[in-house]
Amino acid sequence: MERLLVALDGSARAKHVLAVAVDLAQRTGAKLHLLRAVALPPELPAALWATAPTDATESLLLAGRRDLEDLEALVPEALRGGVSCQVGVPWDAICTAAREWDVDLVVLGSHGHGLLDRIVGTTAAKVVNHVDRSVLVVKERSRREG
Amino acid sequence: MIEEQGHAPVVVLAAVESGEGYDRVVEAAAAYARGQRDSELHVLHVVEAAPRDPDVFDAVSDRALAMAKAILERASDAAREHFHGAVTEHLAFGTAWQEIVQVAGSVRADIVVVGTHDRTGLERWMLGSVAEKVAQRAPCAVLVARPRQEDPDRVALRRSGRGRAAQP
């Protein structure tokens, strides 16, 4: 394996997902590409768009990117393949990036079992269904810990 | 799954389907198991049968059963070729994703490897893929092993150095 795409959201479990990916990369010699997709909230006040749409997007992207760079600092230097923060629907952005970067494996976390997840399906489920690469879905925590 | 787990072996479950995808699943599962200090590999094949059918065992004809056993045996042989630790075989009857999730729980799997068992078109759209359901419901990590599909356009793009392909 040469390239792993690690999809990280802003949640606390991102670190766990990254740790699993680092472990895999260390064994396979693959580089890690970290991706954060920032979905614009649909209820974003119209006024915000009217005044400074670019600024709103930019500041979201900037925050996401900074977050991602903090996470990348946890990755051994030799395994770093770059970070990317994009605006988009997460599952769609992940599928697109997987193809564009021609990765061997997508690593991402699974959601909990919240109501919303049950209705719309998780990002993980969507990615599993739509991406044409292998996918590793990491659970929040191993059942053995529980 | 990856963290130190005391001395318990890492349990890898390979769910193999009837088509050609089984070797990819077995190889991925075996590679994962090999990478662990201590691991065991379980190979599962599910004979698809109507859920909650009391006569399910009668419904599975001898021929279907023989075929399923052959699939499981072929996959397990391949598993033993790639992995020299303990390999355990499981045959289950029912709805694929439910049985996979069930067995993952009962063997206390750390990771399940599935292929793409894929339904196509409308059926998949309505019911979702087995891989998707397992990814959502399994009590452990799930690796969906897919063949690499090189899109000729993308390959051309990458070779010519155009597009965003090279660097994220």
Side-chain angles (χ1 to χ4, degrees):
Chain A
M1 284 202 291
E2 292 172 31
R3 272 186 291 271
L4 305 188
L5 167 59
V6 190
L8 301 167
D9 60 12
S11 72
R13 69 187 166 188
K15 274 189 186 158
H16 175 59
V17 173
L18 184 61
V20 170
V22 166
D23 182 81
L24 260 180
Q26 272 167 340
R27 280 186 239 169
T28 57
K31 297 256 191 209
L32 300 182
H33 297 258
L34 312 189
L35 173 70
R36 159 81 51 85
V38 179
L40 291 181
E43 68 275 19
L44 208 63
L48 198 62
W49 287 108
T51 52
T54 330
D55 288 357
T57 315
E58 282 306 313
S59 65
L60 273 174
L61 277 176
L62 207 66
R65 198 180 163 85
R66 244 185 245 134
D67 217 32
L68 215 49
E69 281 165 355
D70 287 348
L71 285 166
E72 199 193 29
L74 305 172
V75 178
E77 231 171 303
L79 306 178
R80 293 181 195 169
V83 301
S84 172
C85 186
Q86 308 174 353
V87 171
V89 179
W91 73 265
D92 193 33
I94 293 166
C95 292
T96 307
R99 282 183 145 251
E100 284 191 351
W101 306 344
D102 194 25
V103 302
D104 302 285
L105 176 71
V106 177
V107 182
L108 80 175
S110 74
H111 271 277
H113 299 282
L115 184 63
L116 193 66
D117 277 356
R118 275 189 219 160
I119 296 167
V120 301
T122 64
T123 297
K126 280 257 170 62
V127 171
V128 162
N129 252 2
H130 290 96
V131 82
D132 59 352
R133 309 289 146 136
S134 294
V135 185
L136 176 61
V137 181
V138 179
K139 295 284 149 159
E140 213 127 319
R141 44 196 219 123
S142 153
R143 52 175 286 110
R144 279 159 188 265
E145 289 161 15
Chain B
M1 164 187 91
I2 302 291
E3 294 89 11
E4 292 302 318
Q5 299 285 351
H7 296 292
V10 170
V11 179
V12 182
L13 173 63
V16 297
E17 48 203 305
S18 48
E20 291 151 8
Y22 83 91
D23 49 350
R24 203 164 43 242
V25 170
V26 165
E27 273 172 36
Y32 192 90
R34 276 200 312 271
Q36 310 296 325
R37 233 170 300 157
D38 184 15
S39 56
E40 55 186 64
L41 183 52
H42 294 255
V43 182
L44 164 69
H45 177 60
V46 181
V47 182
E48 291 259 16
R52 291 191 204 87
D53 182 350
D55 301 321
V56 67
F57 288 97
D58 298 336
V60 178
S61 72
D62 289 348
R63 185 159 168 274
L65 193 59
M67 270 175 63
K69 281 181 175 162
I71 290 162
L72 184 62
E73 199 183 308
R74 198 174 52 178
S76 304
D77 287 349
R80 290 188 182 95
E81 233 171 78
H82 295 290
F83 173 71
H84 299 298
V87 175
T88 312
E89 299 173 21
H90 302 263
L91 195 59
F93 303 86
T95 306
W97 73 264
Q98 282 176 340
E99 295 304 319
I100 294 168
V101 169
Q102 165 85 38
V103 173
S106 64
V107 302
R108 297 181 68 77
D110 293 282
I111 182 167
V112 181
V113 185
V114 293
T116 42
H117 285 85
D118 272 345
R119 299 183 174 101
T120 50
L122 185 64
E123 197 188 0
R124 168 162 152 181
W125 182 75
M126 287 169 67
L127 303 175
S129 68
V130 173
E132 173 200 338
K133 287 227 166 73
V134 173
Q136 266 181 304
R137 319 284 170 96
C140 55
V142 178
L143 174 62
V144 182
R146 279 216 172 78
R148 278 286 293 270
Q149 288 165 0
E150 286 279 14
D151 176 343
D153 292 344
R154 300 252 177 235
V155 173
L157 256 178
R158 214 167 54 240
R159 291 216 176 105
S160 70
R162 286 186 291 123
R164 294 199 284 142
Q167 260 309 307

